[in-house]
Amino acid sequence: MKILALDSSGLVASVAVMENDTLVAEYTMNYKKTHSQTLLPMLDEIKNNIQVDLSSIDAIAVAAGPGSFTGLRIGSATAKGLGLALDKPLIAVPTVDALAYNLYDTGEDTVVCPIMDARRNQVYTGIYRFTDHQLKVVEDQMAVPMETVIEKLNQYGEAVTFLGDGVPVFHELIAEKMTVPYSFAPAHVNKQRAAAVAALGEIYYRQGKTETAMEHVPDYLRVSQAERERAEREAAKADADS
């Protein structure tokens, strides 16, 4: 089985190819360029370096959200375009699940909490643990204030490992408010990696969790700023008219 994986859901852009439980190639960049500039050139470089014929892949796994609205649209459009061109199924992998999977087999007495900066003092997050070598969702993906996440974790009363681009943003708040032991994942596993998307994607593929390129839509979890502002303008206009 050969899986192509893409993740452009956050600050990081990442592309990977996994074949029969072996990570054949991964290209990850966390630098000052937009994903529209980096994702396809990264894919092209991997394709050329490992001499893979994209028509030989079985499926395309993509980080399906939540995350950056622009980043998700770029990843989704790339995956859909490849899926349509190659006539291959897509595997929608929840972004926060894939982030948690970076810390595979953390002890059962520790919960994993990815936090992605969602602006407006909110994070995209979820709460996970590993049981019997499998990722278990304790609380599903959500967009909530960081204070709410900390309250939930304190109530669980277990050690927590944080990761994600929300860590530097909320580091001080975590230090101030957490009452249970906590730690932060090291640099090589604390951001999005297409390898994790591919690994989870392979599991989902075997479970039949695929979709066509036409069916795929990103999971934004909340409306964009532009949509919020439009709704506010329309509400204000309706109030004025009444």
Side-chain angles (χ1 to χ4, degrees), residues 47-67:
K47 178 175 71 71
N48 292 335
N49 283 341
I50 66 174
Q51 299 179 336
V52 63
D53 181 352
L54 291 181
S55 65
S56 70
I57 66 173
D58 294 289
I60 301 160
V62 59

Side-chain angles (χ1 to χ4, degrees), residues 69 73 223-233:
F69 287 86
R73 282 193 282 266
V223 298
S224 69
Q225 181 177 347
E227 290 171 310
R228 286 196 304 271
E229 291 174 351
R230 182 177 63 187
E232 289 167 0
R233 288 195 301 269

Side-chain angles (χ1 to χ4, degrees), residues 109 111 129 150-160 178-181:
D109 57 348
V111 294
R129 73 170 76 252
I150 292 173
E151 289 173 7
K152 287 176 178 289
L153 293 169
N154 285 336
Q155 289 171 3
Y156 278 110
E158 300 175 65
V160 183
M178 288 293 292
T179 60
V180 298

Side-chain angles (χ1 to χ4, degrees), residues 44 62 66 78 98 108 121 146 174 178 197 209:
D44 193 52
V62 59
T78 303
E108 291 190 25
N121 294 315
M146 187 61 202
I174 290 170
M178 288 293 292
V197 175
K209 297 178 180 178

Side-chain angles (χ1 to χ4, degrees), residues 179-193:
T179 60
V180 298
Y182 65 89
S183 61
F184 300 107
H188 65 294
V189 289
N190 70 0
K191 300 291 192 303
Q192 284 90 338
R193 289 189 59 182

